[in-house]
Amino acid sequence: MGIFSVSFVFMKKPIVSISNLSKTYASGFVALKGVNLDIAEGEILALLGPNGAGKTTLISIICGIVNASSGQVLVNGQDNVKNFRSARALIGLVPQELTLGAFDTVWNTLNFSRGLFGKKPDPAYLEQLLKDLSLWDKKDSLLLTLSGGMKRRVLIAKALSHEPTILFLDEPTAGVDVELRKEMWALINRLRKSGVTIILTTHYIEEAEGIADRVGIINNGELLVVEDKLALMHKLGKRQLKIDIEKTISKIPESLSAWELTLFEDGQSLLYTYDPNRQQTGVAKLLRTIDSEGLLIKDVNTSQSSLEDIFIDMVNK
Amino acid sequence: MNIHAVRVIYKYEMLRAWHTLLQSFASPVISTVLYFVVFGAAIGSRIEQVDGVSYGAFIVPGLIMLALLTHSIANASFGIFFPRFTGTIYEILSAPISFVEILIGYVGAAATKSFIIGIIILATAGFFVPLEIAHPFWMLLFLILTCISFSLFGFIIGLWAEDFEKLQLVPLLVITPLVFLGGSFYTIDMLPPAWQTVTLFNPVVYLISGFRWSFFEVSDVSVWVSLSVVSGFLFICLVTVWWMFKTGYRLKH
Ligand SMILES: Nc1ncnc2c1ncn2[C@@H]1O[C@H](COP(=O)(O)OP(=O)(O)OP(=O)(O)O)[C@@H](O)[C@H]1O
Ligand SMILES: [Mg+2]
């Protein structure tokens, strides 16, 4: 797995620096196994991983909700346990579950969150925040009267109420309709432009592909890879070449065995999977050989594997 | 010091009582009035004076303590248990606040509410029996110490309890018997000698005795002993809470 240890990203100073972080729950379950991760200021990092991979555990430790078993987290250079005040003041967290009180109003719960993080009241800021999240008309509603999507937005508003510079979003778009999801992506982009560092977990690969700068893949408590999104796709992405031929064949000719082609069921297409980063992809020679076999090439097209393919590939290893 | 955090927690907890005004303040007053009617007026009229104090007046300090203890514990335990139960505690845990600030917010609010209840009951009692307070300073001191230490105790229960049943268990199985056997309605020397000894292990006895002394200058034990016991209890609660926060007990997995 040597390729995973090399990162091509030139890090600005890390805003969050995690070293050797491990977590064993009281039940004896090991949820994190020595995670190392630097998060650059101003980036959007997407954490992918199957259910139970340890994403929420990792976020909870950084935010001070769960105690680490060993290891260290530095937030803007401050140890998040020893200097918890300065570390936590920078962080906003949107939890995975819709955990909200029932009998508070939207407005009151926002003021509560802001005060909790040591900021003096600022009605103008909170008003703008609610407007940005299309919640202004709900400001006096009781939380229990809101729909799931509205609750999700209230949680985001609470996390932003104290103007954090680092925002953790634990599955922000779970159970959210397509339109709202688009709105959230737009919001995330706006926040990033204003300089906020964003760490989000998601099960939607297209989400990571669409908005993240870097992608981390977690499985069984291990961080398998953290990589610039494009570099990751470039490095791990397989390319496939599909060659349609005029003739119908039942067997791949001997002369083409070196390329380990797959023959489609209709006998009219061949598939070549290769690594586009290799010096010799063998594409040119393959095409010449097919031609000389007299198979008459009709069409060719290539496709790049998506983040999703890469993800499934890694997790199943 | 994160003043803003203390302010919002305190305000939130006080508002919670405001929303349930009837339950928070009216119910303790009503139940105390019932005690006065039954014990003070009906039974009390047939009981002679106790240590030179009319029975109706004699039971006032004990009744106030009874209300303070139950409400301090109920209020403070619920205040912290409920966010744990619903999960909204994540916000408190992730905020830049120290455990002292959390305590001031939650326990401070619970103690304030108890204090108000105590004052209301005291005023109500004044309608039924002529009351004189011999040592107002001591009276206030005991009142405040009790509100704080039992709110703290309730806070501990709220942190410890894993479900609603456990939340009710301690008040029901421990506190109510201790208070009823704590000399609210009698002096210790009215008990058979063996029970007198047993009673001395009940901390509530010292509390009520000291509190009653501040009214009538009659007590089962010296007021200094009472003060030491209450302060000792407060100290033990503080150490326990400190330990709970330090280790993240029941809070941080
Ligand atoms: N309090 C706890 N006690 C014991 N085990 C726990 C506790 N919390 C989480 N775990 C376990 O730790 C593992 C990681 O959980 P975590 O919530 O971090 O996963 P996740 O990656 O966020 O999953 P999901 O995508 O489902 O949210 C899981 O196997 C879970 O059962
Ligand atoms: Mg999770």
Side-chain angles (χ1 to χ4, degrees):
Chain A
M1 302 283 278
I3 53 165
F4 297 142
S5 53
V6 190
S7 173
F8 296 125
V9 179
F10 290 98
M11 274 286 220
K12 291 198 278 177
K13 120 182 145 59
I15 188 90
V16 178
S17 182
I18 300 162
S19 38
N20 290 316
L21 199 66
S22 295
K23 175 64 184 178
T24 308
Y25 279 109
S27 60
F29 185 86
V30 183
L32 288 180
K33 301 166 187 164
V35 171
N36 290 293
L37 172 65
D38 277 349
I39 299 167
E41 192 167 3
E43 75 168 328
I44 299 181
L45 174 69
L47 292 174
L48 296 171
N51 287 134
K55 304 181 294 293
T56 301
T57 303
L58 178 62
I59 290 180
S60 299
I61 293 175
I62 301 172
C63 296
I65 296 167
V66 169
N67 284 336
S69 303
S70 64
Q72 195 188 34
V73 177
L74 298 178
V75 180
N76 202 20
Q78 309 281 339
D79 185 289
N80 83 328
V81 178
K82 285 198 206 84
N83 300 324
F84 69 93
R85 267 189 215 273
S86 33
R88 290 184 195 170
L90 301 175
I91 296 178
L93 166 66
V94 181
Q96 181 174 0
E97 308 293 336
L98 290 176
T99 38
L100 274 176
F103 303 106
D104 312 320
T105 64
V106 172
W107 185 249
N108 283 348
T109 198
L110 236 58
N111 277 285
F112 181 81
S113 300
R114 186 176 167 87
L116 214 49
F117 279 76
K119 291 274 173 128
K120 63 171 183 293
D122 185 349
Y125 172 76
L126 294 185
E127 177 175 341
Q128 191 53 49
L129 185 58
L130 282 180
K131 283 178 176 161
D132 287 346
L133 285 158
S134 323
L135 280 171
W136 180 240
D137 55 326
K138 294 283 174 193
K139 82 179 192 5
D140 296 317
S141 303
L142 291 185
L143 296 173
L144 85 169
T145 64
L146 301 180
S147 77
M150 293 174 193
K151 283 183 183 156
R152 179 77 60 192
R153 277 178 284 160
V154 171
L155 284 173
I156 295 177
K158 276 166 77 78
L160 293 174
S161 67
H162 64 276
E163 302 162 64
T165 50
I166 307 166
L167 181 65
F168 286 89
L169 296 151
D170 201 351
E171 295 189 29
T173 53
V176 160
D177 68 26
V178 181
E179 199 175 332
L180 183 52
R181 187 172 303 164
K182 293 253 166 67
E183 269 176 42
M184 278 191 190
W185 292 356
L187 173 76
I188 289 170
N189 274 320
R190 281 206 303 281
L191 285 170
R192 195 263 281 278
K193 284 212 185 79
S194 72
V196 179
T197 307
I198 295 159
I199 299 92
L200 62 97
T201 72
T202 180
H203 287 287
Y204 301 107
I205 315 243
E206 72 268 23
E207 190 159 285
E209 207 162 349
I211 59 177
D213 300 312
R214 284 200 305 156
V215 175
I217 297 180
I218 302 184
N219 193 31
N220 290 325
E222 282 174 290
L223 192 59
L224 298 179
V225 58
V226 203
E227 187 71 273
D228 179 85
K229 177 183 64 187
L230 297 174
L232 181 68
M233 287 168 62
H234 184 66
K235 214 158 70 172
L236 299 173
K238 294 266 176 7
R239 198 165 294 172
Q240 292 191 314
L241 178 69
K242 185 165 165 262
I243 306 143
D244 298 336
I245 49 179
E246 292 280 2
K247 288 230 177 94
T248 305
I249 55 173
S250 56
K251 196 171 147 287
I252 298 168
E254 266 308 298
S255 57
L256 300 174
S257 63
W259 284 274
E260 296 175 357
L261 303 176
T262 323
L263 180 63
F264 279 60
E265 264 183 42
D266 63 4
Q268 293 188 318
S269 303
L270 295 161
L271 191 68
Y272 174 45
T273 307
Y274 64 99
D275 180 350
N277 302 311
R278 270 208 334 241
Q279 285 283 315
Q280 307 263 310
T281 58
V283 170
K285 187 155 182 236
L286 171 66
L287 293 179
R288 279 201 305 272
T289 315
I290 292 176
D291 198 46
S292 62
E293 282 285 335
L295 296 178
L296 297 175
I297 296 171
K298 192 163 72 179
D299 195 8
V300 292
N301 71 72
T302 62
S303 61
Q304 174 93 33
S305 60
S306 68
L307 207 48
E308 187 157 16
D309 302 324
I310 299 171
F311 173 67
I312 292 170
D313 217 44
M314 297 204 76
V315 166
N316 291 338
K317 258 195 194 131
Chain B
M1 185 86 175
N2 186 344
I3 291 290
H4 293 294
V6 175
R7 175 180 57 82
V8 291
I9 295 175
Y10 186 88
K11 190 173 147 200
Y12 182 89
E13 285 298 299
M14 291 308 283
L15 270 177
R16 202 161 56 79
W18 190 251
H19 289 314
T20 53
L21 198 60
L22 223 61
Q23 197 195 342
S24 309
F25 297 117
S27 84
V29 174
I30 292 172
S31 57
T32 311
V33 167
L34 289 176
Y35 278 116
F36 279 131
V37 173
V38 174
F39 287 97
I43 301 177
S45 61
R46 295 165 189 241
I47 297 180
E48 288 178 34
Q49 292 194 333
V50 182
D51 290 345
V53 180
S54 82
Y55 188 68
F58 177 83
I59 61 172
V60 170
L63 286 180
I64 293 176
M65 281 292 160
L66 178 69
L68 285 194
L69 260 55
T70 21
H71 283 85
S72 298
I73 292 173
N75 218 306
S77 62
F78 190 80
I80 190 71
F81 174 81
F82 201 62
R84 283 179 60 218
F85 179 73
T86 58
T88 53
I89 189 86
Y90 85 87
E91 211 179 3
I92 307 279
L93 295 177
S94 64
I97 41 179
S98 68
F99 99 98
V100 176
E101 288 149 4
I102 296 179
L103 276 189
I104 296 174
Y106 279 102
V107 177
T112 308
K113 286 184 270 187
S114 298
F115 183 78
I116 295 172
I117 289 173
I119 296 295
I120 295 176
I121 295 177
L122 188 61
T124 320
F127 284 111
F128 290 85
V129 286
L131 272 181
E132 269 175 53
I133 303 168
H135 304 280
F137 170 76
W138 280 95
M139 196 278 287
L140 276 179
L141 183 67
F142 273 113
L143 202 62
I144 291 169
L145 277 180
T146 307
C147 291
I148 293 175
S149 50
F150 280 85
S151 295
L152 206 51
F153 185 63
F155 190 80
I156 293 171
I157 294 173
L159 282 178
W160 161 82
E162 286 154 316
D163 47 45
F164 275 99
E165 201 187 338
K166 280 193 179 162
L167 194 67
Q168 311 280 3
L169 209 66
V170 175
L172 208 68
L173 292 186
V174 182
I175 299 303
T176 314
L178 284 186
V179 174
F180 271 87
L181 302 176
S184 303
F185 302 109
Y186 53 85
T187 58
I188 293 181
D189 51 26
M190 293 179 183
L191 292 171
W195 281 103
Q196 289 189 22
T197 316
V198 174
T199 298
L200 290 178
F201 290 98
N202 179 356
V204 179
V205 165
Y206 298 87
L207 205 61
I208 294 181
S209 165
F211 194 48
R212 185 180 286 139
W213 175 86
S214 70
F215 283 80
F216 312 122
E217 293 187 302
V218 296
S219 61
D220 294 317
V221 293
S222 147
V223 64
W224 292 104
V225 175
S226 291
L227 187 63
S228 316
V229 171
V230 181
S231 310
F233 181 65
L234 180 62
F235 181 74
I236 292 171
C237 289
L238 274 175
V239 171
T240 310
V241 169
W242 173 81
W243 174 84
M244 282 174 136
F245 272 92
K246 186 159 174 65
T247 58
Y249 176 84
R250 296 271 161 100
L251 275 176
K252 295 198 175 187
H253 304 296

